[in-house]
Amino acid sequence: MRKSIVILAFLSGVLYAQDADILLNHDLYHYMDRLDIKGVTDTLVHTDIKPYRRNALARVMRKVDINALSKTEAGWHVRMQMLADDQMALEDENSGILRYFYRNQRDLLHVNHKHLQLFVNPVLYTNIGADQNTFLSPEGERLPIFTNSRGVQVRGTFLNKVGFHTEVYDNYNRIHQFIYNQYQQTLRLPGESFIKTFGQPNGVDFFSSRAYLTFSPIKNMRIKFGKDRSFWGNGFQSLLLSDHAVDPLLLNITTRVWKLEYVNQFTQMVDFLINRNDNEGTLPRKYGAFHMLNYKPNAKFSIGIFESVVYTPRLANGYRGLELQYLNPIIFYRAAEQFIGSPDNAILGLNMKANLFNHLQLYGQLLLDDYNYGVRNEGTGYWGNKLGWQAGLKYIDLFNIPTLDAQFEANQVRPYTYQHFNIASNYTNYGQSLGHGAGANLRDYRVMLRYHPFPAWNIHLGYFHMIQGRDPAYLQGINYGALPDRATGNRPVNNIEKPDFDHLIGQGESWTTQQLYGRISWQLGNTDIFGELEGRYRRENNLNSLSLLMGIRANISPRMIKY
């Protein structure tokens, strides 16, 4: 015990100031896109790796000359800066409500002491509406839908050296029928685990939690440990590492030297087993290791090299446990994986971004799961060539209208990408994709518009069109390469003479999904509380859904249905 106290005292003297991260999908990410395109972020923030550090965003926002902005932009900026900048909030104290609540105009409760900064807020997401759909029956049904999430969020810094964040909340929801249909087929909800149902046909009950610590042993290094999600890329989707799956237990080490940022992330994940009984013990574990080396020479350009490996500790020849080879923070994973006999699922990738003319951003990703160059002359569509790409653009102040922003994105992923011959090593956590949310064997296109007509008001419109080849229900067991939680065997024979070829994007049952989405939100003062009106029209082949929701969201990111 004495040794532990001495070590803690020593670390408290050498650790550097820390903070928590901004929740993914928060409105701050769109605002940071604008600042990045304008060149304000410079090299302070590498926008290719998310979530962002709160302190880093605050430093960027302090650089903005508010006097050079329009009235609407200036008001929007102050609201966004207040949400990110703890120093700004603490300097804006007043009598608050009943002397204790919202004294800094942002947080329900806060403590500002030389050894402790603490921010406590309620988590609330409540709305109500209706879903008129044909997913339940061809005649159509009008079902009540609602969200009822409530809990608490606590974050802050201790001794100005250690950052912490924790949030817990219970969810008692009636969800869209198309999401519930997906749950019935897979027993999984995107980003959530251990789902219970109630009040058929669309009631679900689950518990959400997230918690981590951050600290810096040296000035240019930050370590984060806990349960949280990640998103690596600049698009709406990420083919490399997305926030679609359940939050894993992670150890993230970020090192900044010169114009380079190097991220190592080691994760413990879960291999989800359908219809497993509780008395069978814990779910099997699986592990992942991820690297991204990002080079940002200036405010206009960045390029990153990505690699990852996902593996199971159980192999046909026994239990190996944690693979120490992958703990090497600077090894080339493909070489390490081949050295131990190629039993694991390694992926390579490239991430790129360029800002032009202070209005335009071009971005993209390349994904290489597997590629056999030697079969190029034998035919097309070799099943083992598992590739994907993303291309997109963002344009801010469209038609010279301040705060009117547009984004276009296209993604394409070949069949069997993310899959592995050992199903436990697939690119998934809890059976949910770590890459593109819908998996593979697809093409998708999306257009988004965002507009802030007034500082407190936000309008978000989005449309996407996806074509995917799925496994036909009438061919049980045949794998057409869409689902990331299947093994690569049992492939269809599209070419009798060359069964390994002619596996093209869209093979299987053609499934077309179209969705038009709109959200209008109003921010209450400088708080992270929003009143919202949300509408959605969705069509999947000959099935359709039209829904409308109205409610309040507090200190929680909006739920994103990404496919």
Tab-separated table of all heavy atoms in Angstrom, residues 71-88:
chain	number	residue	atom	x	y	z
A	71	LYS	N	-23.297	37.663	-37.765
A	71	LYS	CA	-23.975	37.620	-36.472
A	71	LYS	C	-24.402	36.207	-36.108
A	71	LYS	O	-24.219	35.756	-34.964
A	71	LYS	CB	-25.192	38.550	-36.497
A	71	LYS	CG	-25.919	38.640	-35.160
A	71	LYS	CD	-27.074	39.625	-35.231
A	71	LYS	CE	-27.796	39.707	-33.888
A	71	LYS	NZ	-28.920	40.666	-33.932
A	72	THR	N	-24.951	35.482	-37.086
A	72	THR	CA	-25.370	34.103	-36.832
A	72	THR	C	-24.173	33.218	-36.533
A	72	THR	O	-24.192	32.414	-35.589
A	72	THR	CB	-26.140	33.547	-38.036
A	72	THR	OG1	-27.340	34.303	-38.220
A	72	THR	CG2	-26.506	32.088	-37.821
A	73	GLU	N	-23.100	33.340	-37.336
A	73	GLU	CA	-21.907	32.524	-37.113
A	73	GLU	C	-21.280	32.820	-35.758
A	73	GLU	O	-20.825	31.898	-35.062
A	73	GLU	CB	-20.891	32.774	-38.222
A	73	GLU	CG	-21.278	32.212	-39.575
A	73	GLU	CD	-20.238	32.534	-40.619
A	73	GLU	OE1	-20.081	33.736	-40.953
A	73	GLU	OE2	-19.565	31.597	-41.105
A	74	ALA	N	-21.228	34.079	-35.370
A	74	ALA	CA	-20.632	34.449	-34.085
A	74	ALA	C	-21.430	33.856	-32.920
A	74	ALA	O	-20.859	33.319	-31.965
A	74	ALA	CB	-20.551	35.967	-33.959
A	75	GLY	N	-22.753	33.945	-33.014
A	75	GLY	CA	-23.587	33.369	-31.964
A	75	GLY	C	-23.444	31.858	-31.890
A	75	GLY	O	-23.412	31.277	-30.784
A	76	TRP	N	-23.365	31.198	-33.053
A	76	TRP	CA	-23.173	29.751	-33.105
A	76	TRP	C	-21.821	29.374	-32.507
A	76	TRP	O	-21.705	28.408	-31.747
A	76	TRP	CB	-23.294	29.287	-34.549
A	76	TRP	CG	-23.233	27.805	-34.749
A	76	TRP	CD1	-23.460	26.832	-33.816
A	76	TRP	CD2	-22.945	27.131	-35.964
A	76	TRP	NE1	-23.315	25.586	-34.369
A	76	TRP	CE2	-23.007	25.740	-35.687
A	76	TRP	CE3	-22.647	27.554	-37.258
A	76	TRP	CZ2	-22.773	24.775	-36.677
A	76	TRP	CZ3	-22.415	26.598	-38.242
A	76	TRP	CH2	-22.476	25.233	-37.953
A	77	HIS	N	-20.803	30.161	-32.847
A	77	HIS	CA	-19.459	29.870	-32.345
A	77	HIS	C	-19.412	29.941	-30.816
A	77	HIS	O	-18.827	29.063	-30.161
A	77	HIS	CB	-18.443	30.852	-32.933
A	77	HIS	CG	-17.055	30.651	-32.406
A	77	HIS	ND1	-16.184	29.729	-32.945
A	77	HIS	CD2	-16.393	31.229	-31.364
A	77	HIS	CE1	-15.047	29.748	-32.266
A	77	HIS	NE2	-15.151	30.651	-31.308
A	78	VAL	N	-20.019	30.956	-30.234
A	78	VAL	CA	-20.000	31.103	-28.773
A	78	VAL	C	-20.668	29.901	-28.116
A	78	VAL	O	-20.180	29.361	-27.116
A	78	VAL	CB	-20.688	32.414	-28.357
A	78	VAL	CG1	-20.902	32.455	-26.845
A	78	VAL	CG2	-19.865	33.610	-28.808
A	79	ARG	N	-21.784	29.454	-28.679
A	79	ARG	CA	-22.486	28.301	-28.119
A	79	ARG	C	-21.637	27.036	-28.209
A	79	ARG	O	-21.561	26.246	-27.249
A	79	ARG	CB	-23.817	28.097	-28.837
A	79	ARG	CG	-24.861	29.149	-28.504
A	79	ARG	CD	-26.067	29.041	-29.421
A	79	ARG	NE	-27.078	30.036	-29.073
A	79	ARG	CZ	-28.123	29.805	-28.284
A	79	ARG	NH1	-28.288	28.604	-27.756
A	79	ARG	NH2	-29.001	30.755	-28.022
A	80	MET	N	-20.988	26.808	-29.353
A	80	MET	CA	-20.155	25.628	-29.520
A	80	MET	C	-18.914	25.698	-28.627
A	80	MET	O	-18.496	24.701	-28.039
A	80	MET	CB	-19.748	25.477	-30.982
A	80	MET	CG	-20.885	25.129	-31.927
A	80	MET	SD	-21.625	23.489	-31.659
A	80	MET	CE	-23.104	23.933	-30.716
A	81	GLN	N	-18.318	26.887	-28.519
A	81	GLN	CA	-17.139	27.013	-27.676
A	81	GLN	C	-17.482	26.768	-26.215
A	81	GLN	O	-16.701	26.148	-25.475
A	81	GLN	CB	-16.500	28.397	-27.838
A	81	GLN	CG	-15.190	28.546	-27.061
A	81	GLN	CD	-14.500	29.869	-27.305
A	81	GLN	OE1	-14.911	30.651	-28.153
A	81	GLN	NE2	-13.430	30.116	-26.563
A	82	MET	N	-18.642	27.236	-25.790
A	82	MET	CA	-19.049	27.020	-24.409
A	82	MET	C	-19.171	25.524	-24.111
A	82	MET	O	-18.800	25.060	-23.020
A	82	MET	CB	-20.371	27.716	-24.131
A	82	MET	CG	-20.904	27.509	-22.720
A	82	MET	SD	-19.906	28.291	-21.442
A	82	MET	CE	-20.533	29.967	-21.531
A	83	LEU	N	-19.660	24.732	-25.076
A	83	LEU	CA	-19.808	23.298	-24.860
A	83	LEU	C	-18.467	22.588	-24.788
A	83	LEU	O	-18.331	21.567	-24.096
A	83	LEU	CB	-20.653	22.680	-25.981
A	83	LEU	CG	-22.122	23.085	-26.028
A	83	LEU	CD1	-22.832	22.382	-27.175
A	83	LEU	CD2	-22.823	22.765	-24.710
A	84	ALA	N	-17.450	23.127	-25.468
A	84	ALA	CA	-16.150	22.458	-25.517
A	84	ALA	C	-15.164	22.979	-24.488
A	84	ALA	O	-14.308	22.224	-24.013
A	84	ALA	CB	-15.546	22.605	-26.913
A	85	ASP	N	-15.252	24.260	-24.149
A	85	ASP	CA	-14.209	24.937	-23.387
A	85	ASP	C	-14.600	25.054	-21.912
A	85	ASP	O	-15.395	25.904	-21.520
A	85	ASP	CB	-13.987	26.334	-23.988
A	85	ASP	CG	-12.719	26.996	-23.479
A	85	ASP	OD1	-12.231	26.595	-22.404
A	85	ASP	OD2	-12.226	27.918	-24.150
A	86	ASP	N	-14.012	24.195	-21.071
A	86	ASP	CA	-14.324	24.237	-19.640
A	86	ASP	C	-13.856	25.541	-19.004
A	86	ASP	O	-14.518	26.083	-18.112
A	86	ASP	CB	-13.662	23.061	-18.923
A	86	ASP	CG	-14.309	21.736	-19.284
A	86	ASP	OD1	-15.465	21.749	-19.737
A	86	ASP	OD2	-13.657	20.681	-19.120
A	87	GLN	N	-12.727	26.066	-19.445
A	87	GLN	CA	-12.211	27.323	-18.886
A	87	GLN	C	-13.188	28.460	-19.138
A	87	GLN	O	-13.460	29.272	-18.246
A	87	GLN	CB	-10.853	27.644	-19.501
A	87	GLN	CG	-10.242	28.955	-19.008
A	87	GLN	CD	-8.899	29.241	-19.660
A	87	GLN	OE1	-8.150	28.342	-20.022
A	87	GLN	NE2	-8.608	30.531	-19.848
A	88	MET	N	-13.751	28.510	-20.333
A	88	MET	CA	-14.718	29.548	-20.665
A	88	MET	C	-15.969	29.422	-19.795
A	88	MET	O	-16.510	30.425	-19.303
A	88	MET	CB	-15.095	29.445	-22.143
A	88	MET	CG	-16.107	30.454	-22.617
A	88	MET	SD	-16.460	30.229	-24.382
A	88	MET	CE	-17.678	31.515	-24.651
